Amino acid sequence: MKKLQSIALAALVAGVFLAPSGVQAQQNGVTRTDLQRHDLSAQGREAIQVRVDLAPGVAFGKHTHPGEEVIYLLEGELEYQIEDKLPVTLKAGDVLFIPAGTVHSARNPGNVKGSELATYIVEKGKPLVTLVKQHADKASH
């Protein structure tokens, strides 16, 4: 059993060091690939571009960003839930703007990979993604 654990650990470590630069798996079925990051002329702000791929049927839960997010859908379709508004479904070529600090989520309702180019204009030094804790609904009676 220890030999199997050692092999699994070695494979995990090798995967971390041999994975393409800039690729970060956030959860099963979601891949974030960092494309570029640059300081802006506005003090304390930076621009970050990330390719986000969601496998069919996969969702990325409620979260926020420390700045604006500008989305361009590259392929497939993705559905966005922004705060308590009706969901919006984007197809390749569609765009979406999400204001700073706005709670939102995304899911792939299709049967092919959905991919977006996300451009963030954010406060430098803050986490790019902050997950929003889900609260259990409380019954009133």
Side-chain angles (χ1 to χ4, degrees):
M1 185 65 159
K2 284 190 176 192
K3 185 175 183 178
L4 182 58
Q5 289 173 335
S6 295
I7 291 171
L9 179 59
L12 177 63
V13 170
V16 168
F17 288 105
L18 297 177
S21 177
V23 175
Q24 304 169 343
Q26 297 293 314
Q27 67 182 52
N28 286 340
V30 178
T31 303
R32 296 178 61 85
T33 305
D34 294 336
L35 301 172
Q36 61 178 329
R37 178 183 298 247
H38 299 283
D39 290 342
L40 296 176
S41 59
Q43 185 70 25
R45 307 287 279 179
E46 65 181 336
I48 302 170
Q49 279 194 317
V50 178
R51 179 184 174 122
V52 182
D53 299 301
L54 278 76
V58 169
F60 191 82
K62 292 182 178 183
H63 62 282
T64 63
H65 304 286
E68 292 75 15
E69 178 180 15
V70 180
I71 295 168
Y72 175 77
L73 206 69
L74 298 168
E75 62 181 298
E77 65 179 334
L78 294 176
E79 179 184 274
Y80 298 87
Q81 177 74 49
I82 301 172
E83 295 182 330
D84 294 329
K85 297 177 183 170
L86 291 175
V88 175
T89 301
L90 301 184
K91 296 182 190 292
D94 291 341
V95 295
L96 181 66
F97 178 83
I98 301 176
T102 301
V103 175
H104 62 286
S105 61
R107 75 177 190 94
N108 182 345
N111 55 11
V112 298
K113 175 177 70 176
S115 301
E116 69 174 29
L117 173 63
T119 302
Y120 304 96
I121 307 299
V122 295
E123 293 180 54
K124 192 171 180 173
K126 292 200 173 182
L128 184 58
V129 177
T130 301
L131 297 178
V132 174
K133 294 180 182 173
Q134 301 292 324
H135 299 287
D137 291 333
K138 295 179 183 176
S140 57
H141 296 287

